[in-house]
Amino acid sequence: MDNKIDKKISTLISDTARDSAKVYQSANIKARRQQEDDFFNQSLDYRDFVFSPEGYEGIMVAIYIAVIPYLAGLLFLYLFVARAHYEYFLVFNITSYAVIWAIGYEVCAVSLLVGIFLMWLKHINTRWNKEQSRKKPPRDRYGF
């Protein structure tokens, strides 16, 4: 029985019409995907993330590079190594700026990589949801 239906449908729709519809659909999908923003092709400007007066962005970036990893290193040593006890923290007697900065640099680097990975997952999730909402058939407006 199904063969008869398939034969009737195949006689109603010619092969050229079916092929041209497939070509149109694939071209439409390619065009739509090119219009969507790709996560790795986004443009970023460091001036959007640096809080500084106009014209002093370079100086502020240098200060950020010197201070933020150092503070992150101190915080890491205090919270995870000294277990948030001030007496234990004073026993370390680590006075080397370079060692504390290097520890903080690694902490900042790992934090940034984890943040980038989570933003990428969020981007993939929103693209997936857009694609799924596009594929859903429209609901009947009046319920019948």
Side-chain angles (χ1 to χ4, degrees):
M1 179 103 177
D2 289 332
N3 291 336
K4 291 180 182 179
I5 293 173
D6 290 338
K7 287 180 183 177
K8 286 181 182 178
I9 290 175
S10 65
T11 57
L12 293 176
I13 302 173
S14 67
D15 290 335
T16 57
R18 187 178 303 121
D19 291 340
S20 66
K22 287 181 182 180
V23 168
Y24 175 77
Q25 287 174 349
S26 65
N28 189 15
I29 288 173
K30 289 178 185 176
R32 189 175 65 251
R33 287 194 177 149
Q34 286 176 352
Q35 291 173 354
E36 292 177 353
D37 292 336
D38 190 23
F39 182 77
F40 297 108
N41 288 335
Q42 295 177 0
S43 64
L44 295 176
D45 189 14
Y46 74 93
R47 287 174 274 176
D48 295 338
F49 303 102
V50 176
F51 303 109
S52 69
E54 192 70 31
Y56 294 99
E57 290 91 359
I59 296 168
M60 291 304 293
V61 167
I63 292 172
Y64 287 159
I65 289 172
V67 172
I68 291 176
Y70 181 74
L71 293 176
L74 284 176
L75 187 67
F76 178 79
L77 289 174
Y78 180 71
L79 292 177
F80 294 105
V81 178
R83 295 186 181 144
H85 293 292
Y86 188 67
E87 296 82 21
Y88 296 153
F89 184 68
L90 292 177
V91 171
F92 290 136
N93 197 12
I94 298 177
T95 57
S96 174
Y97 173 82
V99 172
I100 295 172
W101 185 89
I103 292 169
Y105 177 80
E106 293 299 326
V107 169
C108 290
V110 167
S111 301
L112 283 173
L113 287 175
V114 168
I116 290 170
F117 180 72
L118 292 176
M119 287 189 319
W120 177 70
L121 286 178
K122 182 179 175 183
H123 178 78
I124 294 294
N125 190 20
T126 56
R127 283 186 71 180
W128 173 260
N129 290 338
K130 284 181 184 177
E131 189 70 21
Q132 293 305 315
S133 66
R134 186 191 65 78
K135 287 182 180 179
K136 287 182 183 175
R139 295 179 61 199
D140 290 335
R141 191 168 197 168
Y142 301 106
F144 53 83

